[in-house]
Amino acid sequence: MKAVSFISIVALIAINPLQAACFLENRVDAILGICTDNDIRYAIKFERKTGSFYYGQWRNGPAGYGLFMNRVFERGHAYCGGWRHEYYYEGREVQDTSEFLDSIDSQGIGCRSNVCPDGFRVEYHEVSDLRIGHYVDGGPEGFSVSTELGSYFIGYRHSHGLNGEGIELNLIEKTFTHAVWKDGRVVKTIKTVNISDHLKMPAQCEQ
């Protein structure tokens, strides 16, 4: 068998910079989408029974930084039929977000006053928003976990929008999709799952 040189491997990576190892698994209890970039795994796990979901870093479960959007079923609750957020750090729920922020600050990977210096960043917002990945000129550039208008995405994001292979959970269109994007538009759908049945407002929330 002919050996593949290190230079050949580097050349292949340079030719295909937007290739990530992604898959979408349709389980009985949940739908799991995972992408791996430089040996770091990121996931979106959507629970069929409740409509709750987790997105963030992953290692056979939540790891590193992540956010769990917990569906609210209690009638009369301000978020009934919607979600309340719970931040995760090192695979466990963080009740006090100061611990979450202290970790980001101690590693020098946070953003301050909505300004994100170039490099790997964990961008946190109190209004249930978390972005993880590489930043250039203040915005995600390259592989990242990002959110935008009810859409949760793992993959490559550049100045012209989503690019390359990725996973998207879209609460507006009610779809969970593994696809390839080009300048923000899907050019190839690999697999998609309709989640509309799991997003119906529960009866106890109706007035």
Side-chain angles (χ1 to χ4, degrees):
M1 180 180 292
K2 187 177 180 181
V4 178
S5 70
F6 175 75
I7 293 175
S8 298
I9 293 173
V10 171
L12 286 171
I13 292 172
I15 293 170
N16 297 298
L18 302 181
Q19 296 303 309
C22 299
F23 68 86
L24 186 62
E25 184 178 345
N26 202 349
R27 299 179 175 182
V28 173
D29 61 334
I31 307 167
L32 179 64
I34 290 181
C35 289
T36 303
D37 179 66
N38 292 327
D39 297 325
I40 300 177
R41 303 184 93 192
Y42 299 86
I44 303 175
K45 183 180 181 183
F46 179 86
E47 298 179 357
R48 290 181 175 279
K49 184 177 180 180
T50 62
S52 299
F53 61 95
Y54 166 88
Y55 73 98
Q57 294 174 306
W58 187 266
R59 194 183 305 112
N60 297 320
Y65 297 100
L67 183 65
F68 182 63
M69 301 294 287
N70 188 15
R71 192 75 182 274
V72 179
F73 290 97
E74 296 89 354
R75 185 171 183 173
H77 192 284
Y79 295 102
C80 197
W83 295 265
R84 62 172 178 263
H85 63 279
E86 301 166 358
Y87 283 91
Y88 272 67
Y89 169 56
E90 293 303 334
R92 58 187 173 82
E93 181 186 339
V94 179
Q95 298 287 349
D96 184 358
T97 53
S98 62
E99 178 185 354
F100 186 95
L101 294 174
D102 287 345
S103 173
I104 294 171
D105 289 342
S106 67
Q107 297 181 64
I109 58 175
C111 304
R112 286 295 183 187
S113 301
N114 295 324
V115 176
C116 294
D118 292 356
F120 179 82
R121 297 290 159 196
V122 176
E123 185 180 8
Y124 158 93
H125 292 281
E126 191 65 46
V127 289
S128 67
D129 195 357
L130 179 68
R131 295 179 176 89
I132 306 169
H134 299 281
Y135 277 68
V136 175
D137 295 333
E141 181 76 19
F143 192 88
S144 68
V145 176
S146 55
T147 67
E148 183 177 326
L149 299 175
S151 176
Y152 299 81
F153 181 79
I154 308 173
Y156 291 89
R157 183 181 291 275
H158 295 285
S159 56
H160 295 293
L162 307 179
N163 276 275
E165 184 179 1
I167 301 286
E168 181 192 41
L169 172 65
N170 192 313
L171 300 178
I172 307 301
E173 298 182 1
K174 300 179 174 58
T175 55
F176 204 156
T177 304
H178 177 196
V180 177
W181 280 260
K182 174 67 174 177
D183 295 337
R185 303 180 68 175
V186 173
V187 294
K188 180 182 178 181
T189 298
I190 299 170
K191 185 175 184 178
T192 188
V193 180
N194 187 302
I195 59 171
S196 59
D197 287 345
H198 310 290
L199 293 176
K200 292 177 180 177
M201 184 171 290
Q204 59 265 42
C205 287
E206 296 174 357
Q207 299 299 320

